[in-house]
Amino acid sequence: MEHIRMPKVENVRLIDRISSRKAALGTLYLTATHVIFVENVSETRKETWILHSQISSIEKQATTVTGCPLLIRCKNFQIIQLIIPQERDCHDVYISLIRLARPVKYEELYCFSFNPKLDKEEREQGWKLVSLNEEYNRMGVPNNYWQISDVNRDYQVCDSYPTEVYVPESATAHIIVGSSKFRSRRRFPALSYYCKDNNASICRSSQPLSGFSARCLEDEQMLQAIRKANPGSNFIYVVDTRPKLNAMANRAAGKGYENEDNYSNIKFQFIGIENIHVMRSSLQKMLEVCELKSPSMSDFLWGLENSGWLKHIKAIMDAGIFIAKAVAEEGVSVLVHCSDGWDRTAQVCSVASLLLDPFYRTIKGFMVLIEKDWVSFGHKFNHRYGYLDGDPKEISPVIDQFIECIWQLMEQFPCAFEFNERFLIHIQHHIYSCQFGNFLCNSQKERRELKIRERTYSLWAHLWKNRADYMNPLYREDHSQTQGTLRPQTAPCNFLYKFWSGMYTRFEKGMHPRQSVTDYLMAVKEETQQLEEELEVLEQRLADLKKVQLNNRKENSKQQDHNTHLGLSTSNNSIANTPQDYINNVKSFPSRSPSQGDEEDSALILTQDNLKSSDPDLSANSDQESGVEDLSCRSPSGGCCLPSEDSGKDSDEAVFLTV
Amino acid sequence: MEFAELIKTPRADNVVLHRPFYPAVEGTLCLTGHHLILSSRRQDNSEELWLLHSNIDSIEKRFVGSLGTIIIKCKDLRIIQLDIPGMEECLNIASSIEEQHCMGNTHRKQALSTLDSVTLMYPFFYRPMFEVVEDGWHSFLPEREFELLSSVTNEWRLSYVNKEFSVCPSYPPAVTVPKSIDDEALRRVATFRHGGRFPVLSYYHKKNGMVMMRSSQPLTGTNGRRCKEDSALINATLRAGKRGYIIDTRSLNVAQQARAKGGGFEQEVQYPQWRRIHKSVERYNILQESLIKLVEACNDQSHNMDRWLSKLEASNWLTHIKEILTAACLAAQCIDREGASVLVHGTEGTDSTLQITSLAQIILDPRCRTIRGFEALIEREWLQAGHPFQQRCAQSAYSNSKQKWESPVFFLFLDCVWQTLRQFPCSFEFNGHFLIMLFENAYASQFGTFLGNNESERCKLKLPQKTMSLWSWVNQPYELSKFKNPLFEANSLVIWPSVAPQSLQLWEGVFLRWNRSSKFLDEACEEMNNIIEYNKELQAKVNALRRQLAELETDDGMQESS
């Protein structure tokens, strides 16, 4: 609190990004965890909440006659533009936010104050939802080929690895330790995915410290052990996910890559995925394109190409496809590494696992996958996503790229995933929100020291509780797409990669399809379920009624019949008594109601977020704790202001003026 | 019939057909007057490929030893390869196809007036295998459309001034004009508008009584010629004290240049109640080149992402989409939001004008988003309005021959509709396949609907008597079921599409149709259908049971009371 110089500023204007003519007048509040803007309009009091941890940059722009503009860019790609009347106030807000957005200790983060009002037991249950132990058992290990090693019990061998690591049966502690000494940051080869159908596996590590000529017997034995764990194949692939040039440059620093001559039976392969710095600047460039005011088609496409973003996404996907193919089709095990083995390696191993195993395409399985390849293997969440004030050069959208790869796959395989786009967007949001403790710190070791499980809540439990919102209505367990390995089209396929508007311009509602097929189908499915229930009740009633009539004819007591009849109907009163309404409901889907009866042009039925709002923080920039739901998305005004904007942008402003 | 003379080798055995994503098929190739047919003899996989000669856009021959290969590129953007053993046979077949293919296009090579060659095209020989329940040639008569209009306003009349196509050769015999303007005035206005295309009603907005009209450019020339009947005509559509908008689909510069050639635009002094807006939309060969570049980009086999994006950008196709949609939104906005009437024209008023007026109606009028309504829209705003289909659709993206009047004007319109459908997936009764079907038929068809360049030509060709209408086929319940959008929920709203670059996408259904497997997307569509069908089925069951129960309960009640 001591960092807040200015807890409240009045007469602030929030600028509408699409149409700068529109601005909302309101009051700006700074709290310990959020920036809150409350509109003055008394009926709605629309609120915009921004978590400090979401703020990626704050820009104070030159003062104009109308006031002092402040631009806040968020990690979830929201952009907020405020105009504060007094320069001094603006400066105070700016200084406060600079500090608030860059906490210096973990305890300042939101997850330590966030309280979803669950008791201790519920919290613990939440943390148990995703269990890696169970996951490795599901994969089929330990078994004859793979054992669980306790060599890293107290993080003695590798402090960025988990305590429980799966290694080949023939890899002794001596081999593991020896190998770890020959690998960057001692990240020795360990099991990421095991395919029980053919014993092929995906292992991961960091680069070897080979320099120009160094060798390590134990490391060579380690790779040999991995090969032996797959009796069906006489070699393994070693995939270095870096561009060859980068890997070669590393040799000068005593690092590098495996020499095929030193290792028996390996096939070495480079897959050029660029490093975190290239990716950071690529995203930066793409976001600059998204920020352009009314760009032309050429501006946009040229900017997209120039950013290289889709090229990088495709490189990651190609690596995943290569590995999945080696495992599924050739039955060959693969060892994957990059430099430290915690960025590109995590991306590629998780994409490959998801292509191979339908389980990872379910809601639960996707959580497990992130837990396995990202959280447990020491992906440096804190550094990459800038939770604490640190080196800006460490920041890079590594997991964002992984999440986008999954979206690209969902576009190609619409029935193969149990979850929908919203699930991915919400996960991305929470990776940056620091509302839950899952991703804090840089390794399992740090998280244990911080006692995350006792002091914060798990995101997975939260998402699981609301899983109804994240379902893909087209998913069917028995569907052919759902089974087995996903085989994306490879050549030619550039055109299959698309700009993900739902993520990068997700707050520019006007740009998205105004009707969501997913939400529509979910509403239909929900109704179908109600119909099924009603059908059962009706059939039962019909049967009873027939029985009653039969009894009537037998001149049984009327009173008694009546009772049975009543008894049945009361238990299902709610359904049985409302046929009329129900039919109406059928005519106009529940999801339609927000827009109907309002201004005609709010044809914006079923926009992405106006329907499902289990997570108000996400859908409406509001906060669960506050208990205040933001009306922006649900109110028709949120949608109806759009029509005139898109076409109006070009018409009202641009064209009419030229006349 | 002279077809037989053109077919040097009517048949070849052991021909292998290659298509992307399908296993090669070996079979017998037959050439008929209008088709190339390949049928495989394998019993387990008896497959037949029927390709209309008129669908062929270009042919390439290659030889490796005595094995010849013919690569056929079609107007629907598909590319197939035929391996034909025997050099002579291959050459014969290639030249036969070329002849056939050329014959189908002779109308282009010879003068347009020689309608004879058109009558050699397949629609004149096609005999339907289905029973015609409703003759599509009579489904959308102007009289019927006018009846609909008369039920909401009496300010308009149907004029037969063009009965003999003498006032305007590219207009239909019946047009809707303001009631207060007589035929004599129309004749005079026709002399003041390019090609005689005087302003006629395109759309009446029931909500506020505003209208959209379309015409060609006024022939003001350099000396500012004027025509008082012209201003009287368009002023007749204005409410007292209201202003209207003229949307000129050319840039101001182009419009000014047009004066030198006798054309021009409405000057403020002569049309004080009208505000002119120039909204430039590209035309003719620029669009055709854009199509060629785009298709080339889609067929690029390279693995280079940057190359794909830069080629997509360089094609400018999506830029044209954005331009057209923006202009249509503007017209719709003037009508619905500004409460003003609109006149749309460019030069001839047969291309960009029609793109704008028809898209604006899709935005404004829910009826145009139904299947019947959309068919009626195409009939009204494209066929009867005199879009020269035969000229525009003579070649597609692969043709090597010199372009003349080819331009994917209608194709772009369909793409814009698809973009809108993508943004409002529950607001259209039809699906993407319906639009693709229309694209295919506009370029090559067994039906007569898109033959000829205007009503006058269609009349001379006696198309309604001699050919089958596309609508007769489409509107059969079984065919329609394939084109229905299961998500459709009728809504009476105006739908405003986004024209931001982030919102516009490549129309995959057409451009990537032959370059990617659609298996998984098709499965998704099927699943969507299943979900909705099952829901409807349950609803019907529940309703039936409810009725049954209600009856039984009344019976019960009667028994009780008795």
Side-chain angles (χ1 to χ4, degrees), chain B residues 118-188:
Chain B
V118 180
T119 60
L120 292 179
M121 293 185 76
Y122 187 50
F124 288 90
F125 299 85
Y126 169 71
R127 291 291 162 265
M129 302 290 280
F130 58 88
E131 193 193 344
V132 179
V133 180
E134 181 197 339
D135 185 353
W137 289 113
H138 303 300
S139 294
F140 308 101
L141 296 175
E143 286 76 9
R144 184 112 30 107
E145 291 288 314
F146 185 74
E147 245 170 63
L148 289 173
L149 179 71
S150 314
S151 65
V152 286
T153 169
N154 57 8
E155 292 165 333
W156 298 82
R157 69 184 182 96
L158 204 58
S159 163
Y160 289 95
V161 67
N162 198 40
K163 203 165 60 196
E164 311 291 336
F165 305 107
S166 54
V167 175
C168 172
S170 62
Y171 268 176
V175 287
T176 309
V177 294
K179 204 170 213 170
S180 59
I181 305 295
D182 61 22
D183 282 358
E184 197 38 48
L186 292 178
R187 280 194 194 95
R188 255 184 244 134

Side-chain angles (χ1 to χ4, degrees), chain B residues 176-403:
Chain B
T176 309
V177 294
K179 204 170 213 170
S180 59
I181 305 295
D182 61 22
D183 282 358
E184 197 38 48
L186 292 178
R187 280 194 194 95
R188 255 184 244 134
V189 178
T191 62
F192 182 66
R193 292 273 171 181
H194 190 120
R197 294 174 68 91
F198 53 88
V200 295
L201 181 76
S202 163
Y203 170 65
Y204 181 87
H205 197 44
K206 271 184 245 167
K207 191 170 125 194
N208 58 11
M210 293 302 131
V211 297
M212 179 161 57
M213 288 178 299
R214 53 177 160 74
S215 69
S216 59
Q217 64 177 348
L219 302 173
T220 56
T222 36
N223 49 9
R225 193 181 147 220
R226 54 185 303 177
C227 171
K228 66 177 194 309
E229 288 84 359
D230 190 74
S231 38
L233 196 168
I234 66 169
N235 286 344
T237 66
L238 294 178
R239 300 262 177 278
K242 281 279 205 172
R243 301 223 304 175
Y245 291 93
I246 295 172
I247 296 177
D248 192 321
T249 65
R250 306 162 294 181
S251 66
L252 179 61
N253 212 354
V254 173
Q256 275 167 345
Q257 282 163 12
R259 286 193 298 191
K261 288 181 227 155
F265 53 86
E266 295 83 352
Q267 298 278 12
E268 277 80 1
V269 266
Q270 284 142 31
Y271 300 85
Q273 286 159 287
W274 294 83
R275 199 165 167 185
R276 210 178 61 249
I277 304 171
H278 290 275
K279 204 84 192 105
S280 168
V281 172
E282 280 302 348
R283 55 202 71 217
Y284 307 134
N285 57 330
I286 293 178
L287 301 180
Q288 185 71 13
E289 273 157 33
S290 171
L291 174 66
I292 291 169
K293 280 188 194 159
L294 176 65
V295 171
E296 197 184 293
C298 293
N299 289 332
D300 185 359
Q301 301 288 314
S302 101
H303 286 270
N304 188 330
M305 177 67 76
D306 290 349
R307 196 158 131 191
W308 154 245
L309 287 171
S310 81
K311 281 186 156 191
L312 176 65
E313 191 265 315
S315 79
N316 274 328
W317 183 265
L318 289 170
T319 302
H320 301 315
I321 297 284
K322 184 167 150 62
E323 266 172 9
I324 297 164
L325 265 177
T326 307
C329 287
L330 173 69
Q333 197 179 22
C334 289
I335 293 168
D336 188 67
R337 289 307 178 89
E338 306 280 322
S341 285
V342 172
L343 168 67
V344 184
H345 71 73
T347 307
E348 286 98 339
T350 53
D351 295 281
S352 54
T353 304
L354 306 182
Q355 289 174 327
I356 309 308
T357 57
S358 51
L359 282 168
Q361 293 180 54
I362 286 179
I363 292 166
L364 294 169
D365 186 0
R367 184 180 156 230
C368 294
R369 294 171 229 143
T370 64
I371 291 180
R372 287 298 282 214
F374 191 72
E375 290 170 356
L377 179 77
I378 288 177
E379 190 74 32
R380 246 184 7 249
E381 291 297 299
W382 290 88
L383 291 161
Q384 290 172 20
H387 175 67
F389 275 97
Q390 201 159 316
Q391 292 180 355
R392 299 287 179 261
C393 301
Q395 296 178 18
S396 174
Y398 300 123
S399 176
N400 308 318
S401 42
K402 201 168 157 270
Q403 294 167 31

